[in-house]
Amino acid sequence: MPSPEWTKRKKQTLKIGHGGTLDSAARGVLVVGIGRGTKMLTSMLSGSKRYIAIGELGKATDTLDSTGKVTEEKPYDKITQEDIEGILQKFTGTIMQVPPLYSALKKDGQRLSTLMKRGEVVEAKPARPVTVYSISLQKFQPPFFTLDVECGGGFYIRSLVSDIGKELSSCANVLELTRTKQGPFTLEEHALPEDKWTIEDVAQSLEHCSSLLPAELTLKKSKPEESDEQVLSCEYMTLNETKVEDDVSKTF
């Protein structure tokens, strides 16, 4: 229900931010912060991320996944399950990784992926240290293989799969990618499917996820209402729609 206090003003804004991009073809957990929650994302998501990735041997693409153009093809028929399991140790712990050219990393304020799509020449970023806490082969049905990977921030599964293909004297790209965990949030326990994006379901989800907040935050009282800011409580959500000239502003 609209709040009388909100309808007195011409325009209300409420910050909404996410805690880390997903590849355009990927799916899974994406943590969203609302209002004061945007300031908590960094500390809340300082833990590891976990992915289930399906790789395809024998094909390399410019994007390192199935959405790109095939740039190379190599045989894979002699690669065995033991071969893949035998090299995974090389990709565990702190390793050096070169980020993909098609990525959200920026050059001169613009994403590398945007520059690449324009046809501009983009140099690869230098290799940087990243952390892999665990990696295991879940399934191998040539040319496809399924990995379960738990890693730290800044890690690219697409680069991992590509590097695995090269290590096997072949090539590979990501066919499917699902993020199953981000910080304390998991796909199974906390993700809200699109068919449940209603006020009531979102409110219930907020209440459920509030149990993951540090004790000092759950006990912290909301600040009194200020003239330029509205505080969103996890106990309710307000949807307000006001028409300002030709623009309709919807605020959650």
Side-chain angles (χ1 to χ4, degrees):
M1 296 296 293
S3 170
E5 290 78 9
W6 284 41
T7 57
K8 292 179 181 179
R9 303 185 179 94
K10 290 184 178 180
K11 183 178 180 181
Q12 293 294 336
T13 59
L14 187 63
K15 291 184 178 180
I16 299 178
H18 62 78
T21 57
L22 273 171
D23 290 346
S24 58
R27 59 183 181 179
V29 178
L30 179 65
V31 181
V32 176
I34 302 174
R36 290 186 295 123
T38 57
K39 299 179 180 180
M40 299 160 52
L41 287 173
T42 301
S43 59
M44 284 290 293
L45 304 179
S46 59
S48 64
K49 302 176 183 179
R50 194 166 183 173
Y51 297 88
I52 296 294
I54 299 178
E56 180 184 16
L57 292 167
K59 290 182 180 180
T61 69
D62 55 359
T63 60
L64 307 188
D65 65 13
S66 60
T67 66
K69 297 180 180 179
V70 176
T71 58
E72 187 178 21
E73 293 189 52
K74 286 187 175 183
Y76 59 86
D77 53 295
K78 294 183 179 180
I79 298 175
T80 66
Q81 179 171 331
E82 290 71 24
D83 291 333
I84 298 178
E85 291 175 335
I87 67 168
L88 293 185
Q89 187 62 34
K90 294 183 179 181
F91 298 96
T92 305
T94 299
I95 63 174
M96 299 299 291
Q97 184 185 72
V98 177
L101 288 177
Y102 281 88
S103 69
L105 297 179
K106 295 183 178 181
K107 175 187 177 182
D108 299 329
Q110 297 189 63
R111 291 188 176 187
L112 296 184
S113 57
T114 301
L115 298 176
M116 290 289 292
K117 290 176 181 177
R118 290 178 184 170
E120 298 185 24
V121 177
V122 178
E123 294 184 2
K125 293 285 187 178
R128 57 184 185 178
V130 292
T131 302
V132 179
Y133 298 106
S134 66
I135 179 173
S136 62
L137 179 66
Q138 300 294 301
K139 186 177 181 181
F140 181 53
Q141 188 175 357
F144 309 112
F145 60 99
T146 303
L147 300 174
D148 184 347
V149 183
E150 186 167 4
C151 57
F155 187 84
Y156 282 90
I157 299 294
R158 286 179 290 139
S159 291
L160 169 68
V161 170
S162 176
D163 291 342
I164 287 176
K166 294 175 183 177
E167 188 69 26
L168 293 168
S169 299
S170 183
C171 52
N173 72 93
V174 173
L175 189 65
E176 294 182 17
L177 181 61
T178 303
R179 183 191 283 163
T180 59
K181 174 182 178 292
Q182 185 178 19
F185 301 96
T186 65
L187 181 62
E188 183 177 342
E189 295 181 37
H190 306 106
L192 195 63
E194 189 172 353
D195 61 351
K196 291 187 177 294
W197 288 0
T198 66
I199 295 296
E200 293 77 12
D201 288 324
V202 170
Q204 290 180 9
S205 179
L206 287 173
E207 184 176 356
H208 176 56
C209 290
S210 66
S211 62
L212 300 175
L213 297 176
E216 62 270 19
L217 292 177
T218 57
L219 296 177
K220 186 177 180 179
K221 295 183 179 180
S222 299
K223 296 179 181 180
E225 181 183 344
E226 298 177 1
S227 58
D228 297 327
E229 181 180 5
Q230 283 285 339
V231 177
L232 178 69
S233 168
C234 286
E235 297 177 358
Y236 67 90
M237 293 191 67
T238 300
L239 174 62
N240 183 43
E241 182 176 294
T242 57
K243 188 172 182 62
V244 182
E245 296 180 353
D246 295 329
D247 298 327
V248 176
S249 174
K250 294 184 177 180
T251 306
F252 289 91

